[in-house]
Amino acid sequence: SFAEVTEDRAVYEYAVLVTALDLEVLSVAQLIGIARTLPFRSARFIATAYVELFRNIPLLVQLFLWFFVLPE
């Protein structure tokens, strides 16, 4: 029926969206990891600051910020 087809399409679109986001996150993570090993001090500093910022903020606080603060 139409409802089943629509539901299957929604599940498929959600899976594609999640996969695309996963690939983007992995790409950013790889770039930051590579930047931390570069001989350039500025690149190392920015990448290390980014990692330390997110490492030192608890996950629950990050989720709260992403969900409630950033959409405004």
Side-chain angles (χ1 to χ4, degrees), residues 24-41:
E24 289 177 17
V25 168
L26 284 173
S27 298
V28 170
Q30 286 178 343
L31 290 174
I32 291 172
I34 291 169
R36 290 187 74 187
T37 63
L38 291 175
F40 308 111
R41 281 186 116 171

Side-chain angles (χ1 to χ4, degrees), residues 3-66:
E4 290 175 359
V5 171
T6 305
E7 184 177 321
D8 289 343
R9 181 168 174 86
V11 170
Y12 173 76
E13 288 176 356
Y14 179 75
V16 169
L17 176 67
V18 169
T19 302
L21 288 174
D22 286 345
L23 291 175
E24 289 177 17
V25 168
L26 284 173
S27 298
V28 170
Q30 286 178 343
L31 290 174
I32 291 172
I34 291 169
R36 290 187 74 187
T37 63
L38 291 175
F40 308 111
R41 281 186 116 171
S42 60
R44 270 197 333 250
F45 176 76
I46 292 170
T48 302
Y50 178 84
V51 168
E52 292 301 323
L53 174 73
F54 285 104
R55 182 182 289 173
N56 290 325
I57 298 176
L59 180 60
L60 187 59
V61 174
Q62 288 183 34
L63 290 173
F64 179 81
L65 292 172
W66 287 106

